[in-house]
């Protein structure tokens, strides 16, 4: 059984469609340097989440 961790953040990115955003966040968690989709309301939120998503053992 693997351990699960929860990280509380001040905000989450918002878009009209979550598909592209989920793919972007998964890519960041996998260590890829993903560009921020143009549909994100506040791109700064993703920049704040990058270090959280890149923590060892973090999965989406």
């Amino acid at each position: 059984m693997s351990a699960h961790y929860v990280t509380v953040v001040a905000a989450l990115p918002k878009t009209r469609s979550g598909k592209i955003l989920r793919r972007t966040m998964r890519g960041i968690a996998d260590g890829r340097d993903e560009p921020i989709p143009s549909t994100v309301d506040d791109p700064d939120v993703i920049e704040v989440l990058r270090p959280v998503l890149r923590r060892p053992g973090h999965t989406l």
Side-chain angles (χ1 to χ4, degrees):
M1 185 193 288
S2 63
H4 296 278
Y5 299 94
V6 175
T7 302
V8 177
V9 294
L12 292 173
K14 295 179 184 165
T15 62
R16 285 171 288 203
S17 170
K19 289 180 189 177
I20 294 171
L21 182 57
R22 284 192 301 272
R23 184 179 67 220
T24 299
M25 291 175 68
R26 193 174 306 115
I28 294 169
D30 289 342
R32 293 191 299 273
D33 190 25
E34 295 284 337
I36 298 174
S38 61
T39 56
V40 172
D41 287 343
D42 183 1
D44 293 335
V45 173
I46 290 183
E47 293 305 328
V48 170
L49 289 178
R50 277 186 197 272
V52 173
L53 292 170
R54 289 190 170 156
R55 286 185 186 155
H58 195 325
T59 60
L60 290 179

